[in-house]
């Protein structure tokens, strides 16, 4: 077997081991026995991996993500961050079959990448309808002050829950993992009490943040949505999404890039959160920065602050909050690496992208498909067979074409 075939087989074993059927839907759990439900951005990563060896499953994965899109009420159009195909959600969310918040929007991107391998018009049309509705929801419910940036109401939404960037907003100082987790759970009650209304929550001083990385991903997703509209012959809609993407890109660049760094914006006042994170590299993924800023971001990425033995550490080694063994406080996540890899490619930093791909593969080769890793020793943490760590296959494919 070639190296490629061996990696396909390894990734297939992980993903198929986590697959589960529920009624007419089939999806892949992030990790069996630990993460039993369906998570939005995880499934997008799964679909991007599946496209190299099981296109039908890639489509199923995305169709099941939109299977519980909110159909009515104020949040109509939202795609939940969790789908509870076994309806166990009520104790936490007051809703049995889905969560009441969302996650990073990579869904048009995943749809486009899957369809690129083998066009399936009915699938594309179904996804386009759902994802258009989703992006309109963002605009209606989460852009609360006309600045084109989406605001998030819970640290589960950006997908990097326990990041030190959120501590102050949650009233925490150097929290233990349990304190941080307790704060996230308690916040759900506040969301329920405010009907998940971002404006009311922000006004009440609850968690509210406009993350630079999240909005950069959103810009890229809007671009992909525009290209899908074009493919479906919807010229006016294609133009509308492309223009919206441009506005988001400009807003991210103008509002989140400061002389001393790239930061998320907190609360109604939009104060920068001066806690650095590798998510600033997502601005390359979204095409949000000019060449000069890109060069300085890449210089920082390749310094020892972010390039550890196994890059990329989510919190820089120079931060007082750097904790290589603590969840989202300075670990390697292969989903994050993929976003950085794609951003580097977008701006033509091919050698740096290759370096990320090679080190990511070396990490999995030596330590396995863990959920996340120590950036210095490579030790794996969380479940040993985490589905989204198979995203290394996409980097390998793109390196070999
Ligand atoms: C954790 C991660 C989140 C991910 C989920 C399922 O909560 O922080 O980003 O989606 O696990 O893997």
């Amino acid at each position: 077997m070639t190296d490629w075939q061996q990696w396909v087989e390894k990734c297939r074993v992980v993903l198929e081991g986590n697959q589960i059927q529920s009624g007419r839907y089939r999806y892949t759990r992030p990790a069996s026995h630990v993460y039993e439900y369906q998570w939005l951005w995880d499934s997008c990563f799964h679909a991007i991996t599946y496209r190299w060896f099981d296109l039908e499953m890639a489509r199923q994965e995305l169709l099941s993500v939109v299977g519980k899109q909110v159909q009515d009420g104020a949040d109509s159009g939202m795609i939940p961050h969790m789908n509870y195909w076994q309806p166990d959600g009520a104790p936490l969310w007051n809703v049995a079959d889905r969560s009441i918040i969302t996650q990073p929007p990579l869904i048009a991107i995943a749809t486009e990448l899957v369809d690129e391998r083998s066009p399936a018009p009915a699938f594309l049309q179904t996804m386009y309808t759902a994802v258009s509705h989703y992006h309109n929801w963002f605009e209606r419910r989460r852009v609360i002050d006309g600045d084109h940036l989406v605001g998030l109401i819970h640290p589960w939404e950006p997908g990097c829950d326990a990041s030190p960037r959120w501590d102050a907003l949650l009233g925490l100082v150097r929290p233990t993992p349990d304190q941080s987790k307790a704060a996230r759970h308690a916040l759900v009650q506040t969301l329920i009490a405010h009907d998940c209304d971002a404006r009311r929550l922000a006004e009440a001083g609850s968690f509210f943040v406009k993350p630079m990385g999240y909005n950069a991903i959103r810009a890229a997703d809007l671009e992909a949505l525009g290209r899908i509209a074009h493919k479906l012959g919807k010229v006016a809609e294609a133009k509308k999404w492309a223009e919206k993407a441009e506005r988001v890109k400009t807003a991210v660049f103008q509002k989140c890039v400061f002389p001393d760094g790239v930061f998320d914006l907190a609360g109604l006042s939009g104060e920068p959160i001066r806690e650095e994170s590798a998510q600033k590299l997502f601005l390359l993924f979204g095409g949000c920065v000019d060449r000069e800023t890109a060069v300085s971001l890449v210089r920082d990425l390749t310094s020892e602050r972010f390039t550890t033995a196994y890059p990329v550490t989510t919190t820089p080694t120079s931060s007082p909050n750097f904790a290589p063994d603590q969840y989202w406080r300075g670990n390697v996540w292969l989903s994050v690496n993929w976003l950085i890899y794609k951003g580097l490619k977008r701006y033509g930093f091919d050698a740096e992208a290759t370096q990320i791909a090679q080190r990511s593969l070396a990490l999995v080769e030596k330590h396995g498909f863990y959920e996340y890793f120590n950036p210095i020793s490579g030790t794996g943490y969380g479940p040993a067979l985490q589905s989204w760590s198979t995203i290394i296959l996409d980097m390998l494919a793109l390196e070999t074409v």
Side-chain angles (χ1 to χ4, degrees):
M1 271 206 282
T2 64
D3 204 30
W4 166 252
Q5 285 166 333
Q6 283 178 13
W7 277 109
V8 167
E9 285 319 308
K10 286 187 205 172
C11 292
R12 186 201 297 276
V13 167
V14 174
L15 288 176
E16 289 183 355
N18 288 332
Q19 263 179 38
I20 186 164
Q21 184 83 29
S22 176
R24 65 192 174 95
Y25 289 104
R26 190 164 185 80
Y27 73 96
T28 309
R29 295 165 291 186
S32 58
H33 307 301
V34 180
Y35 296 111
E36 289 292 318
Y37 310 107
Q38 181 172 31
W39 271 260
L40 167 53
W41 77 324
D42 295 65
S43 279
C44 294
F45 287 112
H46 305 164
I48 294 168
T49 301
Y50 275 128
R51 75 190 178 120
W52 295 106
F53 58 85
D54 188 346
L55 273 166
E56 189 41 38
M57 188 57 209
R59 294 187 199 106
Q60 286 297 317
E61 188 84 18
L62 294 174
L63 290 169
S64 67
V65 169
V66 298
K68 292 198 182 287
Q69 180 168 33
V70 182
Q71 295 302 323
D72 43 38
D75 276 320
S76 166
M78 187 187 78
I79 300 178
H81 101 292
M82 287 174 72
N83 288 342
Y84 288 77
W85 291 104
Q86 309 76 5
D88 301 336
L92 181 59
W93 307 105
N94 256 3
V95 181
D97 66 345
R98 62 167 176 87
S99 70
I100 57 175
I101 55 172
T102 192
Q103 253 191 343
L106 273 171
I107 187 143
I109 293 164
T111 300
E112 186 185 31
L113 290 174
V114 168
D115 206 63
E116 209 172 84
R117 297 277 300 154
S118 171
F123 162 75
L124 198 63
Q125 180 59 60
T126 303
M127 291 303 297
Y128 176 73
T129 305
V131 182
S132 302
H133 201 193
Y134 181 39
H135 278 285
N136 285 332
W137 166 82
F138 272 121
E139 215 64 39
R140 206 179 65 245
R141 287 281 277 179
R142 295 302 185 84
V143 180
I144 66 168
D145 51 14
D147 65 357
H148 306 294
L149 296 178
V150 150
L152 305 182
I153 57 175
H154 194 290
W156 279 327
E157 294 201 301
C160 43
D161 342 346
S163 168
R165 292 178 288 155
W166 320 137
D167 289 352
L169 280 171
L170 293 167
L172 301 169
V173 180
R174 297 280 172 88
T176 62
D178 282 349
Q179 286 168 332
S180 166
K181 194 170 173 186
R184 292 194 291 278
H185 280 263
L187 180 56
V188 175
Q189 293 313 309
T190 310
L191 302 189
I192 294 170
H194 290 78
D195 296 326
C196 292
D197 184 319
R199 182 182 303 280
R200 282 176 53 208
L201 285 158
E203 284 169 0
S206 179
F207 182 98
F208 181 76
V209 63
K210 295 174 188 170
M212 38 86 187
Y214 191 99
N215 277 288
I217 293 175
R218 172 172 156 249
D221 210 54
L222 284 164
E223 288 179 330
L225 192 58
R227 289 189 297 266
I228 293 172
H230 191 77
K231 215 166 170 181
L232 291 170
K234 300 174 191 296
V235 181
E237 289 181 34
K239 187 164 174 279
K240 179 188 86 177
W241 297 122
E243 286 172 357
K244 207 174 274 294
E246 285 308 310
R247 285 196 289 273
V248 177
K249 283 155 71 172
T250 306
V252 170
F253 186 54
Q254 289 181 347
K255 293 180 187 293
C256 303
V257 179
F258 295 84
D260 57 334
V262 181
F263 301 115
D264 307 301
L265 310 176
L268 273 184
S269 64
E271 280 298 299
I273 304 174
R274 289 199 150 74
E275 176 70 50
E276 287 191 292
S277 144
Q279 297 223 345
K280 66 182 180 180
L281 270 307
F282 294 0
L283 270 64
L284 303 185
F285 182 78
C288 300
V289 295
D290 59 16
R291 187 79 204 159
E292 194 189 331
T293 311
V295 167
S296 102
L297 282 171
V298 174
R299 196 178 304 124
D300 200 17
L301 167 71
T302 51
S303 79
E304 60 193 19
R305 283 168 21 93
F306 285 105
T307 297
T308 39
Y310 293 103
V312 177
T313 169
T314 46
T315 301
T317 53
S318 55
S319 164
N321 286 315
F322 173 67
D325 54 352
Q326 271 185 44
Y327 186 65
W328 284 116
R329 299 179 80 88
N331 337 107
V332 181
W333 294 75
L334 295 167
S335 46
V336 170
N337 279 11
W338 182 86
L339 289 160
I340 295 176
Y341 171 86
K342 293 280 285 182
L344 290 167
K345 287 290 227 193
R346 177 170 184 156
Y347 278 77
F349 294 102
D350 289 350
E352 291 81 357
T354 298
Q355 173 74 1
I356 303 279
Q358 286 177 348
R359 296 308 291 154
S360 300
L361 283 152
L363 179 59
V364 176
E365 174 105 66
K366 185 141 184 235
H367 296 274
F369 287 89
Y370 277 88
E371 181 185 13
Y372 60 108
F373 304 84
N374 185 307
I376 298 161
S377 64
T379 304
Y381 303 121
L385 297 174
Q386 182 85 8
S387 298
W388 74 4
S389 293
T390 62
I391 196 64
I392 50 164
L393 193 70
D394 198 61
M395 291 190 251
L396 179 63
L398 300 176
E399 282 298 293
T400 37
V401 286

